[in-house]
């Protein structure tokens, strides 16, 4: 049984990782379109990506929009999560439902709604319009992560700090915030990824002025299947690998740093 489960796990891993592995050699392909196996290898499409403003501008737009979305999402989610998790009030169940509504509604429906609503406000084809729409999509994910952390929080730690004379503000900064830091970081990371990766809403709202990288990739593969798409996919793939490996690398470095020795009490 253990052998069967082991092989099943290996097969599932191969099935999931195979498309990622195929993308990497295609990014070095000399073919004029996406082709596997590549007929030859070169770095021309990497040079094309890093020297073409038609690709660099959407990349920059995605970074700016995702960063602003993350900031706005956290500014909304943190107080909302504390209110919904720690307090009881009339309409709380409705508020919970509204926070999670974007997860239940298909993105295409949300995109049409945002297009109509933001169009009336004059925010279609603008960075602000995409940021607001992406924030609405990122809020429920960040809320779920942070609320799970907050529900498991031991409030006796806050009560102890308050009983020792700390103000509510100092208690939040020095007690609550450090304990919730992992949840806050993960919530912000999910909000960033959600915005950076979103395509459907961006197609409706971004336009030429705020074109995002996923939209540019979608338009490119629909028109000519530009191999630069494989280059971008490979770069994003390795960025994710670096992000996953970085904590382990930092932990390994810290374990190798010698700890300062403590002299025995009374020693001279």
């Amino acid at each position: 049984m253990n052998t069967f489960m082991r092989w099943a796990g290996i097969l599932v891993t191969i099935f999931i990782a195979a498309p990622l592995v195929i993308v990497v050699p295609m990014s070095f392909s000399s073919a004029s379109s996406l082709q596997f196996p590549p007929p030859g290898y070169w770095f021309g499409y990497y040079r094309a990506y890093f020297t073409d403003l038609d690709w660099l501008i959407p990349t920059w737009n995605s970074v700016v929009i995702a960063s602003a979305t993350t900031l706005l999402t956290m500014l909304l989610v943190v107080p909302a999560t504390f209110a919904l998790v720690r307090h009881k009030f009339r309409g709380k169940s409705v508020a919970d439902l509204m926070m999670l509504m974007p997860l239940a509604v298909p993105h295409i429906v949300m995109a049409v709604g945002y297009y109509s609503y933001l169009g009336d406000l004059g925010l279609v084809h603008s960075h602000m319009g995409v940021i607001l729409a992406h924030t609405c999509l990122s809020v429920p994910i960040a809320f779920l992560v942070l609320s799970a952390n907050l529900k498991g929080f031991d409030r006796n730690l806050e009560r102890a700090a308050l009983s020792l004379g700390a103000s509510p503000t100092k208690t939040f900064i020095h007690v609550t915030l450090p304990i919730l830091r992992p949840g806050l970081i993960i919530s912000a990371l999910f909000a960033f990824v959600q915005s950076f990766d979103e395509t459907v809403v961006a197609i409706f709202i971004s336009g030429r002025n705020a074109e995002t990288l996923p939209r540019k990739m979608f338009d490119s593969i629909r028109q000519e299947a530009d191999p630069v798409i494989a280059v971008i996919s490979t770069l994003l793939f390795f960025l994710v690998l670096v992000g996953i490996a970085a904590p382990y690398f930092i932990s390994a470095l810290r374990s190798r740093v010698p700890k300062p020795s403590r002299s025995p009490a009374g020693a001279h």
Side-chain angles (χ1 to χ4, degrees):
M1 185 65 181
N2 290 336
T3 303
F4 171 77
M5 295 301 295
R6 186 181 299 112
W7 280 106
I10 293 174
L11 290 176
V12 170
T13 302
I14 293 174
F15 177 78
I16 294 174
L20 302 177
V21 175
I22 290 174
V23 166
V24 176
M26 282 198 302
S27 69
F28 298 98
S29 174
S30 60
S32 58
S33 62
L34 295 175
Q35 180 179 340
F36 186 84
Y41 296 93
W42 73 326
F43 287 91
Y45 292 115
Y46 281 86
R47 183 168 56 252
Y49 169 69
F50 286 107
T51 57
D52 190 351
L53 291 179
D54 287 340
W55 286 106
L56 294 179
I57 291 177
T59 302
W60 175 248
N61 286 338
S62 287
V63 172
V64 171
I65 290 171
S67 300
T69 297
T70 302
L71 178 60
L72 183 56
T73 297
M74 298 309 295
L75 289 175
L76 295 173
V77 165
V78 172
T81 304
F82 274 84
L84 291 171
V85 172
R86 290 191 170 182
H87 301 282
K88 295 181 180 180
F89 52 89
R90 181 177 298 177
K92 178 181 176 180
S93 58
V94 177
D96 275 324
L97 179 63
M98 295 303 295
M99 289 287 289
L100 301 177
M101 184 66 73
L103 290 178
V105 179
H107 277 201
I108 186 67
V109 177
M110 302 288 289
V112 173
Y114 292 146
Y115 180 81
S116 176
Y117 181 73
L118 295 174
D120 293 338
L121 298 176
L123 294 176
V124 172
H125 300 173
S126 68
H127 287 76
M128 181 56 66
V130 181
I131 291 169
L132 292 176
H134 282 185
T135 298
C136 294
L137 298 176
S138 300
V139 160
I141 300 175
F143 171 72
L144 285 175
V145 174
L146 189 57
S147 61
N149 281 263
L150 193 57
K151 288 177 181 178
F153 185 88
D154 185 2
R155 298 200 64 182
N156 289 325
L157 299 174
E158 293 178 329
R159 296 188 183 99
L162 292 171
S163 66
L164 293 174
S167 65
T169 303
K170 288 185 177 180
T171 300
F172 178 80
I173 295 175
H174 297 289
V175 178
T176 308
L177 195 59
I179 296 176
L180 294 179
R181 186 182 294 119
L184 292 169
I185 293 174
I186 295 173
S187 297
L189 181 61
F190 272 111
F192 184 91
V193 172
Q194 165 71 24
S195 174
F196 192 90
D197 187 56
E198 203 285 321
T199 307
V200 178
V201 173
I203 291 174
F204 277 77
I205 297 176
S206 62
R208 294 289 299 177
N209 297 331
E211 186 179 29
T212 62
L213 184 59
R215 172 177 175 159
K216 173 64 177 176
M217 293 173 70
F218 176 80
D219 290 341
S220 178
I221 200 171
R222 185 180 59 177
Q223 296 171 4
E224 56 182 343
D226 192 340
V228 174
I229 297 172
V231 172
I232 299 170
S233 302
T234 300
L235 294 174
L236 293 176
F237 174 58
F238 279 105
L239 282 176
V240 171
L241 288 181
V242 170
I244 294 174
Y248 298 98
F249 180 73
I250 294 173
S251 178
L253 287 179
R254 287 179 177 176
S255 63
R256 292 185 178 183
V257 175
K259 297 181 180 180
S261 59
R262 295 181 179 178
S263 57
H268 297 282

